[in-house]
Amino acid sequence: MDSIFIADIDITGGIGIVYRMDHFSRTSISTTSLQEAIELVTDPNNPNENWTMIMEICDKIATNKNSAEMAIIEIKKNLRKNPVTFGWRSIVLTLTLLEALVNNCGEIFHTHLANEAFLKALKSVIASKNNPPKPIEKQVLNMIQHWAVIFCDNSDLEIIQELYEECKQQGYEFPPIDKNHTNKTRS
């Protein structure tokens, strides 16, 4: 299959990052199911994140409560994959998708995020038995901390604050909170 190369061009006309786009990124969410789209963007064989499809997934979820629930189920499934067997790449791509969904889908997604089984699956990624690479552990801890801060005033999402406190009690080390980086996400 032929590859397509796409360059991001900034507003000054300079060329930014060049992406190799293969069959995964030419697939549109309109021609595939949400489940298949999530499988495509989290496929460990993808050389790069497929931001076009990630944003299409965000758009679909932001307008459909059932899609938000399905996305959480699929993401949880990916987070529970054994990294020894499947490698860490799929988890990295899953975390990228998860961050995009939290930042772009608002309350329709946030309420599904605040689910004990889901948060347990997220925390399991950094369990010592998995021996996660430091950058992945740092990313997961940053996500938990960020969510705890931005959702601290929402009683429906207090389980995220509880997870944050639990992780601190268990000795996980969080970075200092960057007040400039804790803007509220879309509600």
Coordinates of all heavy atoms in Angstrom, one line a residue, residues 2 28 45-46 51 64-65 70 81 90 95 120-121 128 131 134 136 148 156 181 186:
D2 N 0.5 2.2 -0.8 CA 1.3 3.5 -0.9 C 1.1 4.3 0.4 O 0.1 4.2 1.1 CB 0.8 4.3 -2.0 CG 1.0 3.7 -3.4 OD1 2.0 2.9 -3.5 OD2 0.2 4.0 -4.3
S28 N -11.6 6.7 7.8 CA -12.5 7.7 8.5 C -13.4 7.1 9.5 O -13.9 5.9 9.2 CB -13.3 8.5 7.4 OG -14.3 9.2 8.1
N45 N 1.4 -1.0 15.8 CA 2.1 -0.9 14.6 C 2.1 0.5 14.0 O 2.8 0.7 13.0 CB 1.6 -1.9 13.6 CG 1.8 -3.3 14.1 OD1 2.9 -3.7 14.5 ND2 0.8 -4.2 14.0
N46 N 1.3 1.4 14.5 CA 1.2 2.8 14.0 C 2.5 3.5 14.4 O 2.9 3.5 15.6 CB 0.1 3.5 14.7 CG -1.3 3.1 14.1 OD1 -1.4 2.6 13.0 ND2 -2.3 3.4 14.9
W51 N -3.8 11.9 14.6 CA -4.6 12.9 15.2 C -5.9 13.2 14.5 O -6.9 13.7 15.1 CB -3.7 14.2 15.4 CG -2.9 14.0 16.6 CD1 -1.5 13.7 16.6 CD2 -3.3 14.1 17.9 NE1 -1.1 13.5 17.9 CE2 -2.1 13.8 18.7 CE3 -4.5 14.3 18.6 CZ2 -2.2 13.7 20.1 CZ3 -4.5 14.3 19.9 CH2 -3.4 14.0 20.7
N64 N -22.4 12.0 21.9 CA -23.2 10.8 22.1 C -22.8 10.1 23.4 O -21.6 9.5 23.4 CB -23.0 9.9 20.9 CG -23.8 8.6 20.9 OD1 -23.9 8.0 21.9 ND2 -24.4 8.3 19.7
K65 N -23.6 10.0 24.3 CA -23.3 9.4 25.6 C -23.0 7.9 25.5 O -22.1 7.4 26.2 CB -24.6 9.6 26.6 CG -24.3 9.0 27.9 CD -25.5 9.3 28.8 CE -25.3 8.7 30.2 NZ -26.4 8.8 31.1
M70 N -18.9 3.4 25.4 CA -18.2 2.4 24.6 C -16.7 2.7 24.6 O -15.8 1.8 24.7 CB -18.7 2.4 23.2 CG -18.0 1.4 22.3 SD -18.4 1.5 20.6 CE -19.9 0.6 20.6
K81 N -4.2 -4.8 28.8 CA -3.4 -5.7 28.0 C -2.0 -5.9 28.7 O -1.5 -4.9 29.2 CB -3.2 -5.2 26.6 CG -4.4 -5.3 25.7 CD -4.1 -4.8 24.3 CE -5.4 -4.9 23.5 NZ -5.2 -4.3 22.1
S90 N 1.1 0.2 22.4 CA -0.4 0.3 22.4 C -0.9 1.1 23.6 O -1.8 1.9 23.5 CB -1.0 -1.1 22.4 OG -2.4 -1.0 22.5
L95 N -3.1 6.0 26.0 CA -3.0 7.2 26.9 C -3.1 8.5 26.1 O -3.7 9.4 26.6 CB -1.7 7.1 27.7 CG -1.5 6.0 28.7 CD1 -0.1 6.0 29.3 CD2 -2.6 6.0 29.8
K120 N -9.1 1.8 38.2 CA -8.3 0.7 38.6 C -7.4 0.1 37.4 O -6.3 -0.2 37.6 CB -9.2 -0.5 39.2 CG -8.4 -1.6 39.7 CD -9.4 -2.7 40.3 CE -8.6 -3.9 40.8 NZ -9.5 -4.9 41.4
A121 N -8.0 0.1 36.2 CA -7.3 -0.4 35.1 C -6.2 0.6 34.7 O -5.1 0.2 34.4 CB -8.2 -0.6 33.9
S128 N 3.9 -2.1 40.0 CA 5.2 -2.6 40.0 C 5.4 -3.9 39.2 O 6.4 -4.1 38.6 CB 5.8 -2.6 41.4 OG 5.0 -3.5 42.2
N131 N 6.4 -3.4 35.7 CA 7.6 -2.7 35.5 C 7.5 -1.7 34.4 O 8.2 -1.8 33.4 CB 8.7 -3.7 35.2 CG 10.1 -3.1 35.3 OD1 10.3 -2.1 36.0 ND2 11.1 -3.7 34.6
K134 N 9.7 4.5 32.9 CA 9.5 5.7 33.7 C 8.6 6.8 32.9 O 7.8 7.4 33.6 CB 10.9 6.3 34.1 CG 11.5 5.6 35.2 CD 10.7 5.7 36.5 CE 11.4 5.0 37.6 NZ 10.5 4.8 38.8
I136 N 6.2 6.3 30.9 CA 4.8 5.9 31.0 C 4.2 6.1 32.4 O 3.1 6.6 32.6 CB 4.6 4.5 30.5 CG1 4.8 4.4 29.0 CG2 3.2 4.0 30.8 CD1 4.8 3.1 28.4
A148 N -7.3 15.3 39.0 CA -7.7 15.5 40.4 C -7.8 17.1 40.7 O -8.7 17.5 41.4 CB -6.7 14.9 41.4
D156 N -19.3 14.8 41.4 CA -19.6 13.6 40.7 C -18.3 12.9 40.2 O -18.3 11.7 39.9 CB -20.4 13.9 39.4 CG -21.8 14.4 39.7 OD1 -22.3 14.0 40.8 OD2 -22.4 15.1 38.9
H181 N -0.7 25.0 34.2 CA -1.1 23.8 33.3 C -2.3 23.1 33.8 O -2.6 22.0 33.4 CB 0.1 22.8 33.3 CG 0.4 22.4 31.9 ND1 0.7 23.2 30.9 CD2 0.5 21.1 31.4 CE1 1.0 22.5 29.9 NE2 0.8 21.3 30.1
R186 N -12.9 21.3 28.8 CA -14.2 21.6 28.3 C -15.3 20.8 29.1 O -15.1 19.6 29.3 CB -14.3 21.2 26.8 CG -15.5 21.7 26.1 CD -15.4 21.3 24.7 NE -16.3 20.2 24.4 CZ -16.5 19.7 23.3 NH1 -15.8 20.0 22.3 NH2 -17.4 18.7 23.1

